């Protein structure tokens, strides 16, 4: 187990213990930490972005309710990951059932099929927005100074730890930390106006 | 100052921030909407670079969960006892058990040394009633048993277990 995993798991264990001892605000911190990963995970099953967020919210609520039984035998995220997948699958099952019932009511099968397809897609506005975001981020990456681009690429594409990047780039770990942060700042500068 | 906080957010999403610092940062994020949005944008950048697709989280995503959690019961599970505490309890328990054993042994030894086996005979004799319908043991037979069974009978009482058994080593 590497150092970065240790940091994360220590923090999670601490937060879980606090929740189990009555500190609900500690759970908010777990939500802030994992919200993006969980929504992204659920989004692999539930294609609609808004529904995916609802399912992700359900995941966190279920996790909170089950937290009394969490004994820390696996990492918190692994445990949360399993809850997310089960919640997403159950959601899809119940949606299929709902559609089957609906199908009985209307005879036009083609109409139902179209409705299902539409359900799986974002609105045209959402799609356009998402495409723009991806474009802006890619463009911003291309314009980064080479050292920053390499550092953030190794981190995000290759999933390397800071220590491994420092070794690969033959520089101190503090420099890696700074390069990755500066890269994010530069990309964020381009992204922020779009989101506002 | 602000830049340091932003750098910590960058470290947090890479799991490179020490847990105590991460905890204080998360607390700050919970109270500062601008910081929370920055975290979401950093997470979005990370997601786009990793997966080449994106979705923007509702700004009140975490708030909705917070609201629902507020209606849920609060856990009050007991905290883990520290290993130091349990170790002390173990030691204290062992010490207490050892003390009681020592006291019992000491008291028994004192009683043994102060009273002869026969000294308790009158007490037993007065406390226990002799059954009426039992035939008394022949005194010769009793002597025989004492000589050959290595047992000393506490009294002439009938059906009373010998109060002490002696070893017949070098018995005359």
């Amino acid at each position: 187990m590497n150092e970065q995993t240790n940091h994360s798991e220590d923090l999670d264990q601490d937060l879980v213990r606090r929740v189990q001892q009555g500190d609900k605000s500690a759970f908010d911190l777990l939500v802030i930490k994992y919200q993006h990963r969980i929504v992204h995970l659920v989004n692999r099953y539930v294609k609609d972005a808004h529904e995916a967020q609802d399912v992700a919210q359900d995941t966190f609520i279920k996790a909170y309710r089950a937290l009394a039984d969490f004994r820390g035998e696996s990492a918190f995220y692994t445990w949360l990951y399993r809850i997310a997948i089960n919640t997403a699958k159950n959601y899809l099952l119940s949606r299929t059932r709902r559609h089957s019932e609906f199908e009985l009511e209307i005879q036009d099968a083609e109409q139902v099929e179209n409705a299902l397809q539409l359900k799986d897609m974002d609105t045209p506005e959402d799609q356009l927005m998402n495409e723009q975001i991806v474009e802006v981020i890619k463009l911003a990456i291309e314009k980064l100074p080479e050292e920053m681009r390499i550092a953030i690429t190794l981190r995000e594409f290759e999933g390397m730890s800071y220590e491994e990047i420092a070794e690969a780039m033959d520089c101190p770990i503090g420099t890696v930390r700074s390069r990755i942060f500066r890269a994010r700042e530069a990309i964020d500068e381009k992204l922020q106006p779009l989101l506002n | 100052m602000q830049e340091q906080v932003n750098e910590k957010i960058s470290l947090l999403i890479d799991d490179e921030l020490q847990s105590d610092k991460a905890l204080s940062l998360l607390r700050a994020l919970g109270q500062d909407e601008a910081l929370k949005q920055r975290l979401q944008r950093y997470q979005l950048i990370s997601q786009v670079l990793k997966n080449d697709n994106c979705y923007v989280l509702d700004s009140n995503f975490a708030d909705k969960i917070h609201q629902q959690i507020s209606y849920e019961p609060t856990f009050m599970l007991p905290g883990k006892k520290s290993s130091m505490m349990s170790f002390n309890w173990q030691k204290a328990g062992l010490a207490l058990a050892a003390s009681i054993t020592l006291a019992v042994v000491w008291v028994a030894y004192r009683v043994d040394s102060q009273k002869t086996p026969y000294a308790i005979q009158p007490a037993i004799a007065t406390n226990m009633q002799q059954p009426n319908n039992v035939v008394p043991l022949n005194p010769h037979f009793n002597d025989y048993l004492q000589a050959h069974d290595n047992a000393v009978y506490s009294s002439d009482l009938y059906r009373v277990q010998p109060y002490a058994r002696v070893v017949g080593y070098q018995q005359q």
Side-chain angles (χ1 to χ4, degrees):
Chain A
M1 195 185 290
N2 63 25
E3 202 179 338
Q4 73 183 88
T5 314
N6 271 335
H7 287 326
S8 182
E9 286 184 10
D10 286 351
L11 175 64
D12 290 353
Q13 274 176 16
D14 187 23
L15 291 171
V16 166
R17 200 167 42 243
R18 282 166 192 255
V19 179
Q20 287 175 335
Q21 289 170 13
D23 180 5
K24 279 185 179 178
S25 67
F27 194 76
D28 293 339
L29 307 183
L30 285 167
V31 173
I32 291 172
K33 191 175 174 203
Y34 288 117
Q35 54 184 0
H36 232 271
R37 279 193 233 179
I38 292 299
V39 174
H40 178 67
L41 174 65
V42 170
N43 205 204
R44 280 195 230 157
Y45 296 85
V46 182
K47 300 296 175 193
D48 178 86
H50 299 288
E51 286 182 13
Q53 290 194 35
D54 288 343
V55 174
Q57 277 166 2
D58 277 353
T59 300
F60 281 110
I61 305 292
K62 282 182 183 171
Y64 177 81
R65 288 175 183 156
L67 211 55
D69 300 323
F70 178 70
R71 295 277 168 265
E73 283 146 6
S74 60
F76 173 75
Y77 182 67
T78 312
W79 181 75
L80 186 64
Y81 181 98
R82 281 199 293 264
I83 294 176
I85 288 181
N86 287 336
T87 310
K89 284 180 178 173
N90 288 340
Y91 173 79
L92 289 179
L93 266 177
S94 66
R95 201 177 72 175
T96 310
R97 278 195 210 110
R98 279 205 304 274
H99 283 302
S100 304
E101 287 162 13
F102 182 58
E103 203 171 14
L104 291 172
E105 288 170 15
I106 35 173
Q107 298 299 315
D108 193 347
E110 200 180 312
Q111 216 175 331
V112 176
E113 188 62 27
N114 289 341
L116 272 172
Q117 281 176 358
L118 281 174
K119 198 79 185 154
D120 281 347
M121 287 163 58
D122 291 337
T123 61
E125 291 82 7
D126 285 344
Q127 271 192 312
L128 186 65
M129 175 73 161
N130 290 348
E131 282 168 15
Q132 280 181 329
I133 289 171
V134 173
E135 204 179 307
V136 164
I137 292 174
K138 283 186 173 174
L139 205 65
I141 284 269
E142 280 173 25
K143 287 186 178 170
L144 285 174
E146 193 183 1
E147 285 172 338
M148 282 189 205
R149 193 172 63 245
I150 292 172
I152 198 157
T153 302
L154 290 177
R155 172 67 210 155
E156 301 290 13
F157 289 100
E158 306 297 331
M160 287 166 75
S161 69
Y162 283 20
E163 200 179 343
E164 289 166 334
I165 297 170
E167 209 171 304
M169 294 184 77
D170 195 21
C171 65
I173 200 163
T175 308
V176 173
R177 199 178 296 151
S178 169
R179 282 176 186 169
I180 291 174
F181 165 60
R182 301 262 167 238
R184 285 195 174 118
E185 283 278 278
I187 300 166
D188 185 48
E189 204 174 299
K190 308 284 180 198
L191 183 65
Q192 212 172 338
L194 194 65
L195 293 176
N196 288 340
Chain B
M1 179 64 187
Q2 184 60 43
E3 203 172 274
Q4 281 180 348
V5 177
N6 294 347
E7 188 170 349
K8 280 182 186 171
I9 296 175
S10 174
L11 291 171
L12 178 75
I13 64 169
D14 289 336
D15 289 335
E16 294 276 357
L17 194 60
Q18 285 171 350
S19 62
D20 53 338
K21 288 179 183 168
L23 187 64
S24 61
L25 176 66
L26 283 169
R27 289 205 186 285
L29 283 166
Q31 291 163 355
D32 189 329
E33 194 54 37
L35 279 185
K36 211 191 284 183
Q37 282 177 8
R38 183 174 290 273
L39 172 75
Q40 286 201 0
R41 289 198 303 274
Y42 281 9
Q43 286 174 329
L44 180 63
I45 293 167
S46 184
Q47 177 208 334
V48 169
L49 293 179
K50 279 189 183 111
N51 307 295
D52 214 21
N53 64 8
C54 92
Y55 50 83
V56 183
L57 271 185
D58 286 348
S59 57
N60 58 355
F61 178 86
D63 295 337
K64 280 184 187 170
I65 296 169
H66 173 81
Q67 253 186 338
Q68 290 198 52
I69 294 294
S70 66
Y71 299 120
E72 296 289 329
T74 303
F75 296 120
M76 291 303 284
L77 301 184
K80 266 187 183 174
K81 286 176 188 169
S82 71
S83 56
M84 189 62 194
M85 281 290 284
S86 58
F87 176 66
N88 285 344
W89 275 109
Q90 272 185 345
K91 277 176 80 174
L94 283 173
L96 186 67
S99 306
I100 290 170
T101 311
L102 268 175
V104 167
V105 168
W106 183 77
V107 167
Y109 175 75
R110 295 282 294 175
V111 168
D112 267 356
S113 62
Q114 284 175 4
K115 294 180 180 176
T116 62
Y118 302 102
I120 57 168
Q121 280 182 12
I124 296 172
T126 52
N127 286 337
M128 304 198 67
Q129 286 185 346
Q130 190 171 322
N132 296 327
N133 58 347
V134 178
V135 181
L137 198 64
N138 186 320
H140 296 294
F141 185 54
N142 194 27
D143 289 344
Y144 175 84
L145 283 175
Q146 285 188 40
H148 293 89
D149 199 29
N150 291 336
V152 174
Y153 291 89
S154 57
S155 69
D156 290 329
L157 291 173
Y158 301 98
R159 291 187 180 171
V160 173
Q161 289 294 315
Y163 111 97
R165 189 175 175 87
V166 295
V167 177
Y169 181 64
Q170 287 183 338
Q171 193 177 7
Q172 292 296 318

